[in-house]
Amino acid sequence: MRKLPQLISCVLLAAGTTAACAQDDAALLARGKYLMEGVVACANCHIARSDKSEPLYDKGLSGGMLFDDPAFKAYAPNITPDPETGIGKWTDAQLAKAIREGIRPDGSLIGPPMPIPFYRNLSDADLAAIIAYLKAQPPIKHAVAKSTYHIPLPPNYGPPVAHVTAPAQGGTRQYGEYLANIGHCMDCHTPRGKNGMLIMSRLGAGGQVIKWPDGSEAVTPNLTPDESGLKSWSDAQIERAIREGIDKNGNPLRRIMAFDWYKNIDAQDMSALIAYLRSLKPQPTGAN
């Protein structure tokens, strides 16, 4: 009979561990939801769309959007956990390698416009949260065409990523840079050279011509604190542009910008992003 209290303690400890694990899982999923439906905004490319490029929310992240560029004809893949047409058979480790290193389970390289160079900055914790979110989505069967490239892809995007830790959360420039990286802001807002590569010495200067599936084009604006960029913009005006897609003069921005998701960025993270943009080297718009 003396063993009964010990047995009860063990049961209570096991129950407590299970509850703690459930809380951890819920927190991880909540973080993944916040990132995916906010600054990371994967759905801006991976959500299924109509012929008019309108999001089909009931079809989730089942992909299919075409990026038709002189360098490639790329289709956003299905990233729902469907086992046949999506990522349902991928392990967490395989998903992590695909997102942060651009390598599929079969060893092939993921090409542009997937912004792998920026996703290499994803922290281990946020990467795990995003994977938890993806695996929690409803599986949707949707076969997507394979992308084709007219340029040689690099052998890789760099050495394997080991461990990444994010800066402390807060409204700081450092955390804003982290958010801008995982939100791949500069992938669109930095000029590209004739070889299609980003001109990193012109970080944030804008000037890219982005084609949308409906045939429209947009030139990305300058995000640096230059006269041709954000120098005369107030913080409130920058925030409205990011959240609502309305520029300093009240004009609507093109919906290529993911403000349908950016509107969910919380106040502290928005302050950090703006602080980072303010810290960029002022540069005139474009590649010159």
Side-chain angles (χ1 to χ4, degrees), residues 43-240:
N44 194 43
C45 291
H46 287 278
I47 198 165
R49 292 181 180 268
S50 70
D51 293 340
K52 297 181 179 179
S53 297
E54 297 169 342
L56 302 174
Y57 293 102
D58 60 321
K59 294 188 177 180
L61 301 172
S62 60
M65 189 162 79
L66 170 64
F67 297 86
D68 200 354
D69 186 89
F72 53 79
K73 190 172 185 178
Y75 296 87
N78 181 346
I79 56 173
T80 74
D82 178 68
E84 303 303 327
T85 64
I87 58 168
K89 293 180 180 178
W90 295 26
T91 66
D92 288 7
Q94 288 171 336
L95 278 168
K97 196 172 185 68
I99 294 169
R100 206 155 61 174
E101 298 180 30
I103 300 174
R104 298 183 183 89
D106 64 5
S108 62
L109 194 77
I110 299 172
M114 182 75 165
I116 302 297
F118 294 97
Y119 286 163
R120 289 174 67 84
N121 295 287
L122 265 167
S123 73
D124 298 348
D126 283 345
L127 182 62
I130 288 170
I131 291 170
Y133 176 90
L134 290 174
K135 291 206 161 183
Q137 300 309 295
I140 297 173
K141 190 173 293 296
H142 180 210
V144 174
K146 288 187 176 182
S147 301
T148 55
Y149 293 89
H150 313 303
I151 54 171
L153 295 180
N156 55 60
Y157 293 101
V161 179
H163 297 292
V164 180
T165 302
Q169 292 186 24
T172 63
R173 185 208 68 80
Q174 290 82 1
Y175 193 63
E177 181 176 9
Y178 173 74
L179 292 172
N181 276 328
I182 67 174
H184 50 88
C185 304
M186 300 307 162
D187 195 51
C188 289
H189 290 276
T190 298
R192 291 184 183 272
K194 293 180 180 179
N195 61 356
M197 302 299 290
L198 293 176
I199 305 173
M200 296 306 291
S201 63
R202 307 276 297 137
L203 188 71
Q208 270 198 57
V209 178
I210 305 291
K211 295 182 179 180
W212 206 235
D214 63 5
S216 63
E217 294 183 350
V219 179
T220 60
N222 186 340
L223 297 185
T224 76
D226 183 74
E227 292 287 355
S228 61
L230 300 178
K231 183 175 181 179
S232 64
W233 290 50
S234 68
D235 287 3
Q237 288 170 333
I238 295 174
E239 180 172 351
R240 184 173 71 161

